[in-house]
Structure formats: C-alpha cells, structure tokens
Amino acid sequence: MSSAQRCAVFIDGANLYATTKALGFDIDYKKLLKDFQTRENLIRAFYYTAMIEDQEYSSIRPLVDWLDYNGYRVVTKPVREFTDSAGRRRFKGNMDIELAIDALELAPRLDHMVLFSGDGDFRSLVEAMQRRGVRVTVISTIQTQPAMISDELRRQADEFVDLSSLASRIGREPSERQARPTGEFPTRHRAEPRGATLENRYGIRQPDQDDE
C-alpha cells in the first residue's frame, strides 16, 4: 500500500477490549501506533471509551491518560446509569455517535479508514465513508464462537482483517503479561508503582530514568 494514502485509525475501546480478551492476548498500543505510522500516512489515531466518573479509581484511567499524551486522540464520555426491568443497576456508554461524527468530518481528508470494531451498528457509517471515496478496513475477529464481528459489517467493509493475524505485530509479549484480577473493571486502586501498573496491565513501557 502506498505511504501517500492518508489514513486514520478509529478504535472502539470497549469492543476491542472484549475482542482481545476473547482471543487471549493484549494490545501494545505503542506497537499499534508505530505499525500504522510505518505502513501508512497516519494523520489521526482515535480511541473511544466511556468512563464511570464517580468511582474513586477506574482501571482504564492510566491507559486513557497514556494514550492522550502519546499520539492518540482520546474521546471519552460519562457512563449512563439506569435500572433495568428487573430492578438491577446497569451502565451504558455507547460511543458510536462520537466515532461516526469524527469519521465523517475527517472523510474529505482521508483515503483510508481503519476501524477496530465488530459492532454491526457501524455498517451505515462504513457505507457513508465509502460513498465519500474512503476505503474502509475493519479489524475484528471470526476466530471466536460466536464471531466478534457482525456479518453485515464484515460484508460492507472493503477489507476485513482478523485481529488474531496481527497479534505478533501489535500484541504484548507473553513475558510482559500479568494475570488480571477477577472482574473486568476493578474499582479500587491497589498500591502499585505507576510505571509498573501501565506496563503490566496495558503493555505500555515507561522510559528508564537513564533514558534521554
């Protein structure tokens, strides 16, 4: 692919997290950014996630902060709390609208859109981007049961790339991984050095003090 092709990456954070968890590997976001910068004329890399703001500590905050300072455009919004029909407390934080608006606004300056999501709700967005002359690659997986990508989104994309095939390029090394605590989003901060927390949980390497 020509490096002159202007590209933007759009990451549906919650969907990508669920996909990598199902595949059994973790994303190294520094590797991901460098991979696209090397192969494409990358003009933007967006990361979208909803956050629970009234918690004392959110396990995703270190990742969001790191991404924001290291080449990603991070878009967040508060999670909406509601009570379901059974009276149970539920949370909802859909970022589809935010991602779609950013993509459509950027479309005139893009040749290639890369979407990290398998959410079928994005099919209409992909079609709209294609009508504007933007080629769309969707990255998710069909290696799980059930598949993490909707069939209609996969069919609409110009190219589908299975995330499992990228593990060697953008995944963390097995030696860097650490077992996660039970539960997807722990709400209390455990005393860990900040650098260790980032590297162990997200594959984000912190520079050594001696590095210049």
Side-chain angles (χ1 to χ4, degrees):
M1 182 179 300
S2 172
S3 60
Q5 294 283 298
R6 297 166 301 175
C7 173
V9 171
F10 297 82
I11 299 173
D12 178 351
N15 192 279
L16 179 59
Y17 175 83
T19 302
T20 55
K21 185 176 180 181
L23 289 172
F25 78 95
D26 296 324
I27 296 290
D28 185 322
Y29 286 94
K30 182 178 289 186
K31 284 184 179 179
L32 187 154
L33 192 64
K34 286 184 177 180
D35 186 75
F36 280 95
Q37 288 173 335
T38 299
R39 297 184 298 109
E40 307 257 8
N41 178 15
L42 185 67
I43 63 173
R44 286 286 188 278
F46 294 90
Y47 183 94
Y48 299 84
T49 188
M51 301 183 67
I52 301 176
E53 293 192 331
D54 62 352
Q55 288 184 345
E56 178 181 335
Y57 174 78
S58 171
S59 66
I60 200 173
R61 173 58 67 181
L63 173 62
V64 167
D65 289 344
W66 186 92
L67 293 173
D68 204 25
Y69 281 101
N70 288 274
Y72 289 85
R73 184 72 58 84
V74 178
V75 181
T76 66
K77 73 177 181 183
V79 169
R80 182 171 63 86
E81 182 180 346
F82 66 98
T83 302
D84 66 14
S85 58
R88 292 170 296 192
R89 187 185 183 197
R90 299 291 190 183
F91 297 95
K92 184 175 183 180
N94 194 307
M95 300 293 294
D96 293 3
I97 296 299
E98 288 79 4
L99 191 156
I101 290 173
D102 287 342
L104 291 170
E105 286 184 342
L106 203 56
R109 296 184 290 278
L110 287 183
D111 301 300
H112 184 203
M113 172 187 181
V114 178
L115 175 63
F116 279 83
S117 183
D119 189 342
D121 289 344
F122 287 124
R123 189 205 65 79
S124 295
L125 170 63
V126 170
E127 185 179 22
M129 295 294 286
Q130 292 167 334
R131 288 198 302 268
R132 289 160 171 78
V134 179
R135 186 171 58 86
V136 181
T137 296
V138 172
I139 300 178
S140 186
T141 189
I142 58 173
Q143 300 302 316
T144 57
Q145 292 295 331
M148 297 297 291
I149 184 170
S150 75
D151 190 54
E152 61 179 6
L153 179 61
R154 185 183 174 195
R155 288 199 308 266
Q156 187 66 48
D158 294 293
E159 181 181 5
F160 167 70
V161 175
D162 201 292
L163 184 62
S164 62
S165 70
L166 303 181
S168 62
R169 284 178 14 207
I170 65 173
R172 290 168 53 189
E173 297 296 331
S175 60
E176 296 175 344
R177 298 186 60 190
Q178 182 184 52
R180 296 178 183 272
T182 302
E184 184 175 344
F185 297 111
T187 59
R188 296 287 179 180
H189 176 57
R190 295 183 299 171
E192 295 176 297
R194 182 173 181 272
T197 299
L198 290 172
E199 184 165 347
N200 291 337
R201 290 185 179 175
Y202 306 115
I204 299 170
R205 290 184 177 278
Q206 297 300 292
D208 296 331
Q209 292 182 351
D210 294 336
D211 291 346
E212 296 293 337

